[in-house]
């Protein structure tokens, strides 16, 4: 039952983008097309889960035993940066069109505060490794859900005749606010 609560809470109730406002840059930047949103979701999911595992092990096996917890943030950032480079190399070989579509936003995963936030939250919540992986995977699914929903809405908005002053960023921010309000409806679930 604990894992079900972690999953529902991470995806819907405490959505990393719409409730905690982490990962806004890729949310707004890569959400113009569903295909790029799905690709970014895959990349973020991979990096988030692997980063959570590696940072958890670094925290428990190195930082805590040697009482050097003050190095947590810098070590976590370095680990995430290395993993993003790995994802970039893999995407360049496996899917060049997706690599091109993600463009500048792929290196921005390095500075995506959602990934660092999840790595730190798993430590703060004192999860064991399995709960940490479930939490990070669920958070990535919640990130992807928000990203794909937002991309779908933005694709539909391109087909609508909007007033000139509302096109682009203004309507995107209004839609993002409405999505955040919609996700607040899940607050009573967990």
């Amino acid at each position: 039952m604990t894992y079900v609560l972690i999953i529902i809470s991470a995806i819907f109730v405490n959505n990393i983008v719409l409730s905690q406002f982490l990962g806004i840059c890729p949310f707004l930047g890569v959400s113009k097309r569903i295909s790029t949103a799905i690709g970014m979701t895959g990349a973020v999911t991979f990096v988030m889960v692997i980063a959570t595992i590696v940072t958890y092990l670094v925290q428990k096996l190195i930082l805590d035993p040697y009482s050097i917890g003050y190095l947590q943030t810098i070590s976590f950032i370095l680990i995430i940066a290395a993993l993003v480079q790995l994802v970039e190399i893999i995407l360049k070989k496996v899917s060049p069109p997706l690599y091109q579509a993600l463009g500048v936003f792929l290196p921005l995963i390095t500075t995506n505060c959602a990934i660092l936030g999840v790595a730190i939250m798993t430590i703060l919540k004192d999860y064991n490794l399995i709960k940490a992986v479930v939490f990070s995977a669920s958070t990535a699914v919640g990130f992807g859900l928000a990203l794909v929903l937002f991309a779908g809405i933005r694709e539909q908005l391109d087909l609508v005749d909007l007033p000139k002053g509302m096109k682009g960023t203004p309507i995107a921010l209004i839609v993002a606010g409405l999505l955040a309000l919609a996700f607040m409806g899940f607050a009573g679930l967990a």
Side-chain angles (χ1 to χ4, degrees):
M1 187 62 175
T2 305
Y3 295 105
V4 173
L5 284 174
I6 290 172
I7 292 168
I8 290 172
S9 176
I11 294 173
F12 299 110
V13 180
N14 296 318
N15 186 286
I16 197 82
V17 176
L18 300 173
S19 176
Q20 298 179 25
F21 306 112
L22 296 174
I24 296 294
C25 181
F27 178 70
L28 292 173
V30 185
S31 60
K32 291 183 177 138
R33 298 281 166 249
I34 291 177
S35 58
T36 55
I38 291 171
M40 180 58 108
T41 299
V44 167
T45 301
F46 177 77
V47 171
M48 193 175 285
V49 172
I50 300 300
T52 299
I53 293 169
V54 174
T55 55
Y56 181 88
L57 293 174
V58 165
Q59 181 75 35
K60 297 300 180 186
L61 299 176
I62 298 170
L63 300 179
D64 286 348
Y66 295 106
S67 300
I68 52 174
Y70 57 88
L71 293 174
Q72 179 188 56
T73 304
I74 191 72
S75 61
F76 284 14
I77 289 171
L78 291 172
I79 290 166
I80 292 167
L83 289 172
V84 169
Q85 290 302 312
L86 177 68
V87 168
E88 196 168 355
I89 291 167
I90 291 170
L91 274 182
K92 201 173 197 179
K93 294 278 186 195
V94 174
S95 180
L98 180 58
Y99 176 79
Q100 292 295 332
L102 292 176
V104 71
F105 295 102
L106 190 57
L108 285 178
I109 294 175
T110 303
T111 59
N112 187 344
C113 55
I115 295 172
L116 179 61
V118 168
I120 292 173
M121 279 189 259
T122 57
I123 302 300
L124 292 176
K125 292 180 183 225
D126 201 29
Y127 285 154
N128 61 30
L129 185 58
I130 295 170
K131 285 182 182 177
V133 170
V134 169
F135 176 72
S136 67
S138 302
T139 301
V141 168
F143 175 83
L145 176 67
L147 196 63
V148 170
L149 284 173
F150 192 53
I153 293 170
R154 287 182 79 177
E155 280 187 3
Q156 291 299 313
L157 284 173
D158 287 344
L159 305 173
V160 176
D161 188 28
L162 292 170
K164 188 176 181 181
M166 291 299 291
K167 289 185 179 181
T169 305
I171 194 68
L173 292 174
I174 290 170
V175 169
L178 291 173
L179 268 176
L181 284 172
F183 270 67
M184 283 178 62
F186 294 115
L189 289 177

